Amino acid sequence: LVATGVGAKTYRRIRFILIQNRAGKTRLAKWYMQFDDDEKQKLIEEVHAVVTVRDAKHTNFVEFRNFKIIYRRYAGLYFCICVDVTDNNLAYLEGIHNFVEVLNEYFHNVCELDLVFNFYKVYTVVDEMFLAGEIRETSQTKVLKQLLMLQSLE
Amino acid sequence: MPAVSKGDGMRGLAVFISDIRNCKSKEAEIKRINKELANIRSKFKGDKALDGYSKKKYVCKLLFIFLLGHDIDFGHMEAVNLLSSNKYTEKQIGYLFISVLVNSNSELIRLINNAIKNDLSSRNPTFMCLALHCIANVGSREMAEAFAGEIPRILVAGDTMDSVKQSAALCLLRLYKASPDLVLMGEWTSRVVHLLNDQHMGVVTAAISLITCLSSKNPDEFKTCVSLAVSRLSRIVSSASTDLQDYTYYFVPAPWLSCKLLRLLQCYPPPEDGAVKGRLVECLETILNKAQEPPKSKKVQHSNAKNAILFEAISLIIHYDSEPNLLVRACNQLGQFLQHRETNLRYLALESMCTLASSEFSHEAVKTHIETVINALKTERDVSVRQRAADLLYAMCDRSNAKQIVAEMLSYLETADYSIREEMVLKVAILAEKYAVDYSWYVDTILNLIRIAGDYVSEEVWYRVIQIVINRDDVQGYAAKTVFEALQAPACHENMVKVGGYILGEFGNLIAGDPRSSPLVQFNLLHSKFHLCSVPTRALLLSAYIKFINLFPETKATIQEVLRSDSQIRNSDVELQQRAVEYLKLSSIASTDVLATVLEEMPPFPERESSILAKLKKKKGPGAVSVELEDGKERGELNGGGDRGGDAAIAASNASTPSPSADLLGLRSTAPASGATPSAGSLLVDVFSEAGPSATSAGVNDDGFLSSAPPTVASEDPAPPLPESDELLNKFVCKNNGVLFENQLLQIGIKSEYRQNLGRMYLFYGNKTSVQFVSFNTTVSCPGELQSQLNVQTKTVEPLVEGGAQVQQVINIECLTDFIDAPLLNIKFRYGGALQNISLKLPVTINKFFQPTEMAAADFFQRWKQLSQPQQEAQKIFKASHGMDTEVLKAKLLGLGTALLENVDPNPENYVCAGVIQTKAQQVGCLLRLEPNAQAQPGEQMYRLTLRSSKDTVSQRVCDLLAEQF
């Protein structure tokens, strides 16, 4: 089957979002496809291997199997999004940053430990901003307003 | 703004997480976890009913343990119980547990669905969102069955909250992807499309993903989205940087939404409505203009957001490939990025330019950046950027710059990363062949390739250079001299020895006059490499040696000595031993004449499509790479990996069909039955057995003496074409090789191959009698109009054809424009004094110039619709003259030269194909649909065949030709 790219241009989605630290510990893994647990573990290790060898002079994009990883490092954490090769690199790169700014605001200067102790809240933040592998909401104001509202519920 | 402290709300959880973090060893961690699991288990089993808070806390701990990588085999029921809590935090943990630990436990699914149902009908937007997120995260078929009917209603209901709409849209998208058969948009379509007009930008952002997905599958139903998307885009693009408030990101208005809108438009051709199109072009121009404006912020976020839109706009411009002005502007903009200090931008510019290079409008503009790109190849630090630079050089290569580009790629190869060497080698080999004007340059290039990156030179590459040298006598002497020199290197690659052995064995005589490369010097040079080589190479060298004995009798004694040595004649490898024994015997007993016949120079190889190209495609193609990340249903959508050319690939004229015979010398198919290694053994076969393909097949084929040429025709004028010549022509519409004609005297075999608008046909005239044909003469003519449509050239054949012999004639064909008639072949000769005069139609039909085009369903029907004028269509309804065997039908349709598109027609019985007819004057895109009524009684089976193309004559002709095939 030869791809002409037409079909490939139609719609796409995020395959997974990973937050890992330099040592390879996963701080968030959000999967938008069905993988079994072994496969997930393999992907986590591969992504770590691919991303951590790169430095600031490299691009924020790496080919990964037949997809690509858009990633950005914040202090000791790598935020990685796996998307289709024809996807818009910069849109996802800024998608990551937008997400990080929301986390930063929500957790008041977010640090790695916040993600560890509040892992269940991080999932909520992700679901507000990305759903079904698509960008759901991009306005920081709107997302934070919603999170604040949820925070007030018991 | 809210700030959350460590694990607030669940102190026990925070303590547990701290404990785990304090564990000094894996063992300690496991111990702590087991203790906790025991504790939780006892709580869950205890008599005392747990309150919601405790349940939430323990379920959350279990989740944490699972996320650490430990198995969890209980707690599911407690999680499900949490779903029916009316406290948000409890519900949230319940849903999270379900989403992360999806379990196809059927009893639970029923309970979960029940809880979701309650939440969906709760009218509490928070609960509705939780439920929708759970469906979107799990997306199972059971959920689709339960909720696919409900969610569209929620999505379009007037009283639904915006945030719920956002979740509902994406939830529906997830269900549609997982179970498209269960999601029926029908009545909702128009209201969903109109979400593009929603006041809430978040709703638009979410809905547009759904609309894009649905449009790509049903473009017609959703086509009203085009004008809505254009006006939405126009409003965003023309807004001031602060107008959109919440949706302005670093002074860029709604960057993600803009990208999504531009992406949606890429599902469609340019708008037909002039006003809409004008508005869109204006948007695209504005986006290009903004790229030139001074930045409103120095932050990288600002430029990234701006450029995300720019690159998406350029993708759309390339997708349309119809606005030369925009294409050239896009190219200039990317040109600026090539030297930007941001590595990301340089990378993306190289990547994007690659697709621009395949548009006829921007190819020249891309070429002007050659120096910058070469510089990138040399200086970029990131290998992926260098890779893109190499891709771009490959894409921008044409005859005018081939030498420079190939030279740069070769010099880059010396230091290239191992990961990309093989691909680079293939690219260099393809460019060198494709743009070779003088073949000595080609030979130099390939030998350099072997020298620099021998390990990465695959069989296809070195087979190919041999094939080309054998077929072009003007380069043989040069090749012999060059390989001889290359072999002087003390350490030369084994692939060089292979090429050297083969070429000196064939053409060593051309340089033997020079005492520095006398026969013995040549032999000694080759033999000095022998012991370092693998078995297949040694086998090849032995064949070269026996050829030396024929070329240079003076080497006979030396070579026989070598063959006779124990290391050859008693070699433990059976193939080598057999060759040594047989060659020794052959050289001892055969007369010079016999030897000369057996070891004659190799005849030219039939021209065929470069297998290197096929290999490169395979290598880069989607199928070749790991597809583990794909889920079956989305295969079509994911295929973008291989071909960055996108839509433009269809128009790109340099792509050609991968030949089915991947093996360059055609050796594999003739591998001998002996246990020898295939390549060694088959080379042996090849050396001896390359006679004409039908030389031995001219057996008795008694199909009617009556049909032979009228022997009584005395006139020297070409006879009129035989009555059956149309029928003979039809036999070859879907195939390229076979016997064209046969009577008791003569058999005519055909082998032909086509590439783009060029074709080459080999005719083999076999004399079936034992008496020679004299005054044998053949002419090919193009009657009438055909003269200006086809350019046909051929050389005359020898006037004498001995009894039992076969002569070959090559015909070169160039298709200038589309045509209907076939060229005429006239054969005249005297057999026993009687003049034979036969005229036939040469099976050159317009479909031979097809280049198959793969496309997705959406694209097919979109194109189909574009070709809806009555004269663009030709249709025939006819009776099936053969059975309706699927495989036979498929084989015929593939033989036609088009791509057979699977899963495109909603009716699986039907066949649809697509291809582009390549003529010198133009390319004619052609779509085909064949609808059989296979269910009908035999005898009443009918077909309806429909052809659509941009040219009426083509539609009609292809339809006529194909209708005769079934």
Side-chain angles (χ1 to χ4, degrees):
Chain A
L1 199 79
V2 180
T4 55
V6 180
K9 265 192 186 173
T10 51
Y11 65 85
R12 57 230 52 258
R13 62 173 161 155
I14 303 165
R15 307 285 145 169
F16 55 79
I17 299 176
L18 284 181
I19 306 177
Q20 300 176 314
N21 67 13
R22 273 196 67 77
K25 283 233 192 247
T26 306
R27 294 310 180 199
L28 172 87
K30 183 77 192 172
W31 308 95
Y32 295 101
M33 286 179 67
Q34 301 291 345
F35 298 109
D36 61 34
D37 292 342
D38 291 345
E39 183 65 14
K40 285 179 184 170
Q41 194 49 41
K42 223 171 110 194
L43 287 167
I44 287 172
E45 285 163 18
E46 277 180 38
V47 170
H48 181 252
V50 167
V51 164
T52 44
V53 295
R54 299 171 64 83
D55 66 31
K57 287 276 176 198
H58 287 85
T59 60
N60 292 87
F61 329 122
V62 209
E63 287 183 25
F64 180 76
R65 303 197 183 178
N66 43 347
F67 295 86
K68 65 188 173 194
I69 304 281
I70 315 289
Y71 74 98
R72 187 136 164 192
R73 187 178 162 180
Y74 293 87
L77 288 180
Y78 289 91
F79 286 70
C80 309
I81 293 191
C82 176
V83 293
D84 289 339
V85 282
T86 53
D87 242 319
N88 190 316
N89 298 42
L90 294 177
Y92 282 107
L93 187 58
E94 287 316 307
I96 291 174
H97 189 75
N98 201 28
F99 174 56
V100 170
E101 288 192 348
V102 167
L103 288 177
N104 198 45
E105 200 66 36
Y106 183 50
F107 290 109
H108 253 335
N109 292 326
V110 68
C111 68
E112 189 174 345
L113 276 188
D114 291 321
L115 306 187
V116 176
F117 282 95
N118 297 289
F119 70 95
Y120 56 97
K121 291 183 177 163
V122 179
Y123 281 100
T124 304
V125 182
V126 175
D127 280 352
E128 285 297 318
M129 302 187 73
F130 304 94
L131 191 64
E134 300 282 344
I135 293 175
R136 176 182 177 274
E137 179 56 85
T138 61
S139 157
Q140 293 185 19
T141 318
K142 288 226 158 63
V143 173
L144 286 163
K145 212 171 125 196
Q146 174 75 4
L147 291 173
L148 180 68
M149 190 276 286
L150 294 176
Q151 184 77 17
S152 70
L153 297 174
E154 191 36 63
Chain B
M1 280 298 132
V4 271
S5 56
K6 283 184 188 175
D8 68 339
M10 281 187 277
R11 201 176 141 63
L13 175 69
V15 170
F16 174 58
I17 294 175
S18 295
D19 283 358
I20 295 288
R21 288 181 53 79
N22 290 332
C23 287
K24 296 275 182 282
S25 65
K26 194 81 195 160
E27 289 72 30
E29 181 184 310
I30 291 173
K31 213 174 142 198
R32 178 68 185 86
I33 285 170
N34 284 337
K35 185 179 153 204
E36 192 63 38
L37 286 173
N39 172 41
I40 298 172
R41 204 177 263 119
S42 77
K43 296 283 191 214
F44 284 170
K45 280 192 180 157
D47 305 332
K48 212 171 62 175
L50 286 176
D51 60 13
Y53 170 80
S54 307
K55 223 182 271 175
K56 170 181 86 170
K57 182 178 70 185
Y58 294 130
V59 167
C60 203
K61 281 182 179 176
L62 285 177
L63 186 57
F64 184 77
I65 293 169
F66 175 78
L67 291 170
L68 282 176
H70 302 271
D71 284 338
I72 293 297
D73 56 2
F74 69 103
H76 300 81
M77 192 46 103
E78 284 73 15
V80 173
N81 286 340
L82 285 176
L83 300 184
S84 46
S85 161
N86 50 20
K87 288 188 173 154
Y88 165 74
T89 53
E90 291 169 17
K91 218 183 246 300
Q92 189 249 328
I93 297 296
Y95 273 123
L96 180 58
F97 186 94
I98 303 294
S99 301
V100 174
L101 276 107
V102 232
N103 200 315
S104 53
N105 187 328
S106 56
E107 308 148 46
L108 284 182
I109 287 287
R110 204 174 44 77
L111 293 172
I112 294 168
N113 279 358
N114 212 26
I116 290 176
K117 201 170 184 172
N118 289 335
D119 281 334
L120 285 183
S121 51
S122 69
R123 309 187 68 81
N124 173 334
T126 306
F127 291 178
M128 288 172 89
C129 279
L130 276 179
L132 289 168
H133 292 183
C134 179
I135 301 173
N137 283 323
V138 177
S140 67
R141 183 141 188 105
E142 289 85 355
M143 286 187 176
E145 277 163 359
F147 304 111
E150 175 71 3
I151 296 170
R153 207 189 48 73
I154 296 176
L155 176 60
V156 299
D159 58 349
T160 305
M161 298 273 292
D162 292 331
S163 64
V164 178
K165 277 190 191 168
Q166 286 174 275
S167 299
L170 293 173
C171 186
L172 196 57
L173 167 61
R174 173 67 199 257
L175 293 184
Y176 181 78
K177 283 184 196 168
S179 317
D181 54 317
L182 295 177
V183 179
L184 304 168
M185 294 311 295
E187 48 182 320
W188 310 115
T189 303
S190 147
R191 295 170 76 180
V192 168
V193 171
H194 277 85
L195 289 172
L196 287 174
N197 268 341
D198 201 285
Q199 288 201 320
H200 190 288
M201 299 267 274
V203 172
V204 187
T205 302
I208 194 169
S209 293
L210 174 67
I211 294 166
T212 306
C213 173
L214 293 168
S215 297
S216 67
K217 303 282 178 195
N218 327 282
D220 282 350
E221 280 174 54
F222 285 84
K223 66 171 182 239
T224 48
C225 72
V226 172
S227 61
L228 290 177
V230 169
S231 60
R232 190 91 209 195
L233 180 70
S234 162
R235 270 179 283 157
I236 296 172
V237 168
S238 56
S239 66
S241 55
T242 49
D243 280 2
L244 302 172
Q245 294 173 1
D246 292 355
Y247 289 90
T248 298
Y249 178 82
Y250 289 89
F251 305 102
V252 181
W256 293 281
L257 180 53
S258 304
C259 289
K260 284 188 176 195
L261 286 163
L262 288 161
R263 190 62 84 146
L264 169 61
L265 292 170
Q266 290 171 59
C267 297
Y268 289 91
E272 281 157 23
D273 182 322
V276 176
K277 184 164 182 200
R279 207 163 170 197
L280 177 56
V281 168
E282 218 169 86
C283 285
L284 294 170
E285 279 170 349
T286 309
I287 293 170
L288 285 166
N289 291 341
K290 281 190 178 176
Q292 295 295 332
E293 287 171 10
K296 295 194 174 64
S297 154
K298 285 213 162 69
K299 296 254 188 190
V300 70
Q301 281 76 24
H302 171 70
S303 68
N304 278 349
K306 208 164 108 175
N307 290 328
I309 302 172
L310 177 65
F311 278 107
E312 204 60 66
I314 291 177
S315 289
L316 182 63
I317 292 170
I318 296 170
H319 169 76
Y320 289 161
D321 196 16
S322 58
E323 300 285 330
N325 175 37
L326 290 176
L327 282 160
V328 170
R329 282 194 66 185
C331 185
N332 294 340
Q333 182 59 52
L334 295 175
Q336 290 181 18
F337 285 160
L338 287 181
Q339 313 213 40
H340 201 279
R341 62 190 163 78
E342 284 266 334
T343 315
N344 284 345
L345 282 183
R346 297 197 302 276
Y347 174 93
L348 293 171
L350 288 166
E351 187 181 63
S352 196
M353 239 187 211
C354 229
T355 52
L356 274 176
S358 58
S359 164
E360 55 170 316
F361 301 114
S362 46
H363 182 78
E364 288 304 316
V366 170
K367 274 169 61 186
T368 60
H369 299 286
I370 184 166
E371 297 302 336
T372 318
V373 180
I374 287 171
N375 196 41
L377 189 64
K378 287 177 177 162
T379 57
E380 284 289 350
R381 280 192 47 197
D382 183 339
V383 53
S384 60
V385 184
R386 295 196 294 274
Q387 170 92 62
R388 290 292 91 80
D391 287 348
L392 178 52
L393 284 178
Y394 180 75
M396 68 162 71
C397 192
D398 61 20
R399 211 168 282 288
S400 72
N401 55 19
K403 281 201 176 175
Q404 184 188 8
I405 285 178
V406 165
E408 293 294 347
M409 283 181 147
L410 270 176
S411 81
Y412 173 60
L413 250 182
E414 308 224 25
T415 53
D417 313 74
Y418 294 107
S419 56
I420 62 172
R421 281 196 184 181
E422 189 183 352
E423 195 184 314
M424 290 287 297
V425 166
L426 291 174
K427 286 183 166 163
V428 171
I430 289 166
L431 293 179
E433 180 184 339
K434 196 164 162 191
Y435 299 113
V437 184
D438 75 272
Y439 278 84
S440 53
W441 173 71
Y442 169 76
V443 168
D444 283 342
T445 304
I446 302 297
L447 292 185
N448 265 329
L449 266 188
I450 297 176
R451 194 176 50 73
I452 296 167
D455 283 345
Y456 298 89
V457 173
S458 57
E459 278 182 345
E460 286 87 350
V461 174
W462 73 261
Y463 282 3
R464 189 72 182 164
V465 69
I466 286 174
Q467 189 184 60
I468 286 175
V469 169
I470 300 243
N471 286 13
R472 312 205 137 253
D473 42 21
D474 50 337
V475 78
Q476 289 160 356
Y478 181 80
K481 180 166 159 285
T482 319
V483 287
F484 178 79
E485 280 161 11
L487 286 171
Q488 307 284 338
C492 64
H493 196 272
E494 187 164 335
N495 279 336
M496 188 71 86
V497 179
K498 289 176 181 165
V499 175
Y502 205 112
I503 288 183
L504 291 181
E506 294 294 325
F507 309 114
N509 55 326
L510 299 176
I511 57 169
D514 186 330
R516 284 167 301 178
S517 52
S518 72
L520 262 177
V521 173
Q522 286 185 41
F523 170 75
N524 287 333
L525 181 62
L526 280 180
H527 199 53
S528 70
K529 315 284 181 193
F530 188 90
H531 304 280
L532 299 169
C533 291
S534 63
V535 168
T537 309
R538 289 186 190 194
L540 185 150
L541 285 177
L542 289 178
S543 297
Y545 296 171
I546 185 73
K547 290 216 151 194
F548 266 48
I549 293 184
N550 175 48
L551 287 179
F552 317 117
E554 66 267 39
T555 60
K556 182 170 173 177
T558 316
I559 290 174
Q560 281 183 333
E561 198 54 43
V562 168
L563 293 174
R564 206 177 285 125
S565 72
D566 279 359
S567 62
Q568 307 299 350
I569 213 161
R570 289 171 197 268
N571 194 297
S572 60
D573 183 275
V574 66
E575 177 63 33
L576 293 180
Q577 189 187 98
Q578 186 176 356
R579 287 192 188 209
V581 171
E582 288 178 359
Y583 291 165
L584 184 59
K585 201 72 185 165
L586 181 67
S587 67
S588 328
I589 59 168
S591 69
T592 331
D593 281 356
V594 171
L595 212 54
T597 312
V598 173
L599 300 171
E600 197 183 352
E601 190 178 299
M602 293 289 287
F605 288 89
E607 271 309 325
R608 52 188 124 169
E609 142 106 34
S610 165
S611 50
I612 307 176
L613 204 55
K615 170 146 179 160
L616 181 71
K617 284 182 187 168
K618 204 171 126 209
K619 201 169 147 38
K620 290 224 96 179
V625 226
S626 147
V627 288
E628 291 148 83
L629 291 186
E630 284 181 28
D631 35 10
K633 292 186 187 78
E634 305 188 345
R635 221 150 253 260
E637 143 205 25
L638 289 173
N639 280 339
D643 197 334
R644 290 168 198 286
D647 204 8
I650 290 170
S653 58
N654 58 355
S656 46
T657 347
S659 148
S661 62
D663 192 342
L664 180 73
L665 299 185
L667 300 177
R668 288 294 145 80
S669 52
T670 53
S674 86
T677 55
S679 61
S682 49
L683 272 173
L684 179 67
V685 169
D686 205 56
V687 167
F688 290 120
S689 72
E690 183 77 12
S694 46
T696 52
S697 68
V700 193
N701 186 351
D702 203 356
D703 61 1
F705 188 61
L706 289 178
S707 68
S708 70
T712 47
V713 175
S715 156
E716 292 280 346
D717 291 338
L722 293 179
E724 69 270 28
S725 58
D726 276 316
E727 203 179 306
L728 296 173
L729 178 85
N730 281 332
K731 267 174 43 185
F732 283 85
V733 167
C734 294
K735 65 175 185 176
N736 284 336
N737 305 328
V739 175
L740 174 66
F741 171 81
E742 184 158 23
N743 63 17
Q744 291 214 322
L745 306 178
L746 176 72
Q747 186 200 48
I748 305 175
I750 281 195
K751 270 183 119 173
S752 50
E753 62 207 3
Y754 295 85
R755 185 168 173 182
Q756 295 177 28
N757 69 324
L758 301 178
R760 181 170 292 179
M761 184 179 273
Y762 296 83
L763 292 173
F764 301 93
Y765 304 98
N767 181 346
K768 292 170 69 176
T769 70
S770 53
V771 183
Q772 62 176 203
F773 294 160
V774 293
S775 310
F776 190 83
N777 179 35
T778 67
T779 51
V780 178
S781 58
C782 290
E785 256 193 330
L786 197 58
Q787 250 175 356
S788 58
Q789 295 164 335
L790 274 190
N791 187 358
V792 180
Q793 291 180 339
T794 182
K795 284 187 186 161
T796 52
V797 288
E798 289 295 309
L800 266 188
V801 184
E802 292 296 341
Q806 188 189 52
V807 294
Q808 180 188 328
Q809 183 176 29
V810 186
I811 297 171
N812 289 314
I813 303 147
E814 183 186 17
C815 177
L816 303 172
T817 180
D818 70 295
F819 61 96
I820 292 171
D821 290 329
L824 292 179
L825 169 69
N826 175 257
I827 306 126
K828 282 198 283 264
F829 60 92
R830 286 186 183 275
Y831 168 68
L835 176 70
Q836 307 290 322
N837 185 349
I838 306 167
S839 286
L840 296 163
K841 287 192 176 174
L842 215 49
V844 180
T845 45
I846 185 67
N847 65 294
K848 299 296 180 192
F849 302 97
F850 258 130
Q851 193 166 304
T853 309
E854 291 286 353
M855 57 177 82
D859 201 52
F860 181 88
F861 287 110
Q862 181 188 318
R863 279 157 200 269
W864 182 264
K865 278 211 59 175
Q866 283 169 355
L867 297 170
S868 54
Q869 292 169 34
Q871 70 273 20
Q872 291 175 324
E873 179 178 292
Q875 193 173 68
K876 275 199 171 182
I877 298 174
F878 53 94
K879 262 198 168 153
S881 19
H882 311 282
M884 284 187 171
D885 183 90
T886 317
E887 291 313 310
V888 175
L889 285 178
K890 282 185 180 171
K892 284 190 175 167
L893 289 169
L894 285 173
L896 185 73
T898 48
L900 182 58
L901 306 176
E902 307 273 6
N903 305 323
V904 164
D905 199 297
N907 179 352
E909 303 279 342
N910 295 346
Y911 301 86
V912 295
C913 303
V916 177
I917 289 180
Q918 308 276 342
T919 75
K920 192 178 181 191
Q922 66 189 128
Q923 303 187 344
V924 185
C926 208
L927 303 174
L928 176 161
R929 195 175 191 187
L930 180 70
E931 302 161 86
N933 65 341
Q935 265 62 46
Q937 296 293 320
E940 285 169 22
Q941 289 186 323
M942 306 277 285
Y943 290 102
R944 180 164 69 185
L945 173 66
T946 315
L947 257 299
R948 286 190 179 182
S949 80
S950 46
K951 209 163 173 198
D952 51 348
T953 44
V954 170
S955 301
Q956 196 55 53
R957 181 59 179 157
V958 176
C959 189
D960 290 346
L961 284 170
L962 198 58
E964 298 296 323
Q965 300 300 313
F966 299 104

